[in-house]
Amino acid sequence: MDQAMRAAAKPAPTAAGDATRVAGEGEAGPQSRETDGFQLVIDALKLNGLDTIFGLPGIPITDLTRRMQANGMRVISFRHEQNAGYAASIAGFMTGKPGICLTVSAPGFLNGLTALAHATTNCFPMILISGSSEREVVDLQQGDYEEMDQLAIARPHAKAAFRVLHAEDIGVGVARAIRAAVSGRPGGVYLDLPAKLFPQAMDAEAGRQSLIKVVDPAPRQIPAPDAVKRAVDLLRSAKRPLIVLGKGAAYAQADADIRALVERTGIPYLPMSMAKGLLPDTHEQSASAARSYVLPEADVVMMIGARLNWLLSHGKGKTWGGATSKSWGGQRFVQIDISPQEADSNVRIDAPVVGDIGSCVSAMLAAIGTGFPKPPAEWLDAIAERRTKNVAKMAESLAKNPVPMNYHSALGVVRDIVRANPDAFLVNEGANALDHTRAVVDMFKPRKRLDVGTWGVMGIGMGYSVAAAVVGGQQVIAVEGDSAFGFSGMECETICRYGLPVCVVILNNNGVYRGDEVNPTGGRDPSPLVFVKGARYEKLMEAFGGVGVMAATPAELRSAMEEAIRSRKPTLINAVIDEKAGTESGRITSLNPSAKKKQ
Ligand code: ADP
Ligand code: TPW
């Protein structure tokens, strides 16, 4: 930072009265010769196109939220910072720009931190901006209001963490946060803004000069030609090739080229959960309905923006045809990823292609030209046979109409509604509610399915729904387990306050996983896994002026969903399903420690 600019900054006023006088309640207007920290934060964000803030006000950022709104920014104020944080994280995934979450110090910061760690884990660009208390007091641990060494605490959970102490450094701080969040592998960034920073005054022109409009924040990373050739050669040699599309592929917004690569090679593909819809799930090359056949049988697998983590059984073991739970199944892997460190994290990657997915996929297309051999017919036929069989089995189970409803009879309705409204976002969390929805509900467009992600975390529901409605501007359908919904349910008020077109469908089976457990001692406390029976969740939306409906049959669910979409009113449908429906942990029962012991 240039010395003259530094000298232009005035020391922070100490008394509240001084702050009011210097910053004029934060109204350093366009004619004023002075600006202040509040205004510079706003100007720095706006200069970089960051005009939507998810947060919760309080000391020391109350005035910041007011002035942001006064300066034309959209400030979406939540009831709990964690939900604001999840909203910011998914806004980052949807747009490729960092989603911004704004919180108060210590407890507010910690509430937002879970979402920041979630963003980092999921490779979503996000910036958590938290106000903090006085450095001098914090560092001497003298017990300031909401005292906490936030920067140190954020660091292990973030891709990067910065603190700005001087008004003239705000431009640099915001620029660094943006670059760190979106370049390379995206992630969560923490930006610490101490209370003293906001009223700091400086010359308006020097302030303007200190701001940075970030040029090319996520530079393309072109893959090396020999890496591309190695990958294409390996694919050409395959007898049973498979492509796995992950949420990195969805994030990259290279939709047309990814589709061209899949279609030109004719290779069957498997979308990971949030990559569903990158190609329509009804595409003839989709191997989703034959997953348990293609993973062990494939000989060459090309991963595009997907990691070989627990969601893919670490690329080995019985899922992949290995003889034991840890052994290699014999597959050879191509991995397209922006992170040069991702390859070999779990199994050997024979052909890593390092670069951004857009550049890598277009380089692969160029290398393939028009002469790529179609995969052997035996492979494609074997997949088609399994798929046909499994699709028929699914149709049979969706057609049943049991009383009470089960997951399938309720989700058959959601499936039809999503097919009729392909632009709607589908937010999804729970255990069985997640697994069945992923399997039953086809997606038709990219980045429409938003779910629990890499951690399988509960609590994303209402935060994601708010962000999808605000940033995506489309109808949102949130399919929620009753337990999952409870983590963020109070945001129904937020949804009503902003009048968002969100239709929440709670698949209510009275508990975590299912609702029929009893206390084995016969004591008066209920089982830890069950909730109040017959809970009327729909009244929560009614309490804030939205629409609440209880649906006990598929027909009731269908008409309530159709009306919600027609009216675009905030709606909560309490879809009552059999409390015996559901298995422990859904599809991942085997990860429970007691199940592991039995293995
Ligand atoms: P999924 O859960 O869908 O399998 P993961 O979150 O495990 O997906 O993997 C996403 C991968 O995509 C990460 O390894 C990340 O580095 C990568 N990635 C994210 N964005 C890009 C991009 N623009 N170009 C290339 N790779 C990317
Ligand atoms: C932050 C553990 C995984 S799934 C789940 C919990 C509590 C709820 C399952 O019940 P639900 O769905 O939502 O009613 P269903 O259809 O199976 O009945 N805390 C956090 N994240 C996780 N993953 C958990 C706890 C969990």
Side-chain angles (χ1 to χ4, degrees), residues 276-596:
K276 273 167 71 81
L278 197 40
L279 284 82
D281 278 338
T282 46
H283 195 284
E284 61 170 358
Q285 285 171 253
S286 169
S288 284
R291 188 180 196 271
S292 60
Y293 173 71
V294 292
L295 288 180
E297 291 297 324
D299 63 348
V300 174
V301 181
M302 175 158 70
M303 316 287 300
I304 308 184
R307 288 170 286 187
L308 283 166
N309 57 15
W310 71 278
L311 286 159
L312 282 166
S313 306
H314 305 280
K316 56 195 169 192
K318 293 187 176 158
T319 308
W320 293 86
T324 70
S325 63
K326 290 251 155 80
S327 57
W328 178 47
Q331 286 81 6
R332 309 192 67 198
F333 287 97
V334 174
Q335 186 162 35
I336 300 183
D337 204 289
I338 203 155
S339 164
Q341 293 172 37
E342 186 52 41
D344 305 330
S345 57
N346 285 276
V347 292
R348 186 180 70 222
I349 301 298
D350 300 277
V353 182
V354 175
D356 70 278
I357 284 168
S359 301
C360 292
V361 169
S362 84
M364 298 277 294
L365 277 171
I368 280 165
T370 48
F372 196 83
K374 201 169 155 55
E378 308 86 82
W379 175 233
L380 301 183
D381 292 348
I383 297 171
E385 191 188 317
R386 260 103 190 155
R387 201 176 58 195
T388 311
K389 214 166 75 199
N390 289 340
V391 167
K393 222 157 76 188
M394 166 90 76
E396 206 176 289
S397 112
L398 293 177
K400 288 185 186 146
N401 193 359
V403 180
M405 284 195 287
N406 62 14
Y407 286 98
H408 275 191
S409 58
L411 287 171
V413 173
V414 178
R415 172 186 162 105
D416 292 346
I417 302 271
V418 170
R419 183 181 296 135
N421 298 279
D423 286 317
F425 289 98
L426 181 70
V427 171
N428 188 202
E429 61 177 336
N432 297 278
L434 177 87
D435 293 335
H436 289 301
T437 306
R438 187 178 56 235
V440 169
V441 180
D442 290 329
M443 303 305 296
F444 298 89
K445 296 201 173 179
R447 294 171 295 283
K448 293 292 184 183
R449 189 184 150 85
L450 310 172
D451 69 27
V452 298
T454 304
W455 267 346
V457 67
M458 297 299 108
I460 49 91
M462 298 305 102
Y464 273 24
S465 296
V466 170
V470 166
V471 175
Q474 299 287 342
Q475 175 70 42
V476 178
I477 297 167
V479 177
E480 301 273 312
D482 51 327
S483 165
F485 172 74
F487 288 73
S488 66
M490 193 63 202
E491 303 298 345
C492 282
E493 191 275 333
T494 310
I495 290 168
C496 289
R497 184 164 20 105
Y498 290 94
L500 301 175
V502 175
C503 172
V504 182
V505 177
I506 298 184
L507 298 177
N508 182 7
N509 62 356
N510 295 343
V512 177
Y513 311 135
R514 47 195 287 154
D516 60 345
E517 287 220 1
V518 290
N519 179 342
T521 70
R524 62 186 270 270
D525 287 350
S527 151
L529 289 136
V530 303
F531 300 140
V532 166
K533 290 195 190 296
R536 302 293 300 274
Y537 290 103
E538 71 279 12
K539 298 209 177 280
L540 200 57
M541 202 63 105
E542 284 176 6
F544 305 112
V547 177
V549 183
M550 189 164 111
T553 65
E556 286 169 6
L557 176 58
R558 189 181 302 273
S559 82
M561 288 189 78
E562 284 173 350
E563 178 54 21
I565 287 168
R566 197 199 55 71
S567 71
R568 290 176 70 85
K569 283 191 187 147
T571 301
L572 193 156
I573 305 169
N574 183 4
V576 179
I577 64 171
D578 187 351
E579 67 173 12
K580 295 190 209 55
T583 53
E584 180 148 346
S585 308
R587 293 260 168 92
I588 53 172
T589 309
S590 62
L591 297 185
N592 280 313
S594 47
K596 286 207 162 180

Side-chain angles (χ1 to χ4, degrees), residues 177-220:
I178 292 170
R179 278 201 189 279
V182 298
S183 63
R185 173 182 275 179
V189 175
Y190 176 60
L191 187 60
D192 191 88
L193 302 183
K196 273 213 275 196
L197 178 74
F198 296 114
Q200 270 182 35
M202 68 181 285
D203 174 71
E205 179 54 21
R208 203 177 58 74
Q209 292 289 340
S210 72
L211 300 183
I212 295 173
K213 184 166 168 46
V214 179
V215 176
D216 196 11
R220 292 177 64 199

Side-chain angles (χ1 to χ4, degrees), residues 106-166:
F109 155 79
L110 284 175
N111 285 345
L113 191 61
T114 309
L116 187 73
H118 167 80
T120 305
T121 301
N122 282 276
C123 317
F124 298 160
M126 164 181 171
I127 302 174
L128 173 66
I129 302 179
S130 295
S132 57
S133 40
E134 273 202 53
R135 280 252 46 83
E136 292 82 346
V137 185
V138 173
D139 289 348
L140 279 170
Q141 297 183 26
Q142 293 175 308
D144 203 359
Y145 168 70
E146 296 194 345
E147 175 181 299
M148 177 171 274
D149 188 359
Q150 295 168 199
L151 190 68
I153 290 165
R155 200 155 259 146
H157 306 288
K159 190 178 163 197
F162 306 101
R163 176 186 291 134
V164 181
L165 293 175
H166 303 287

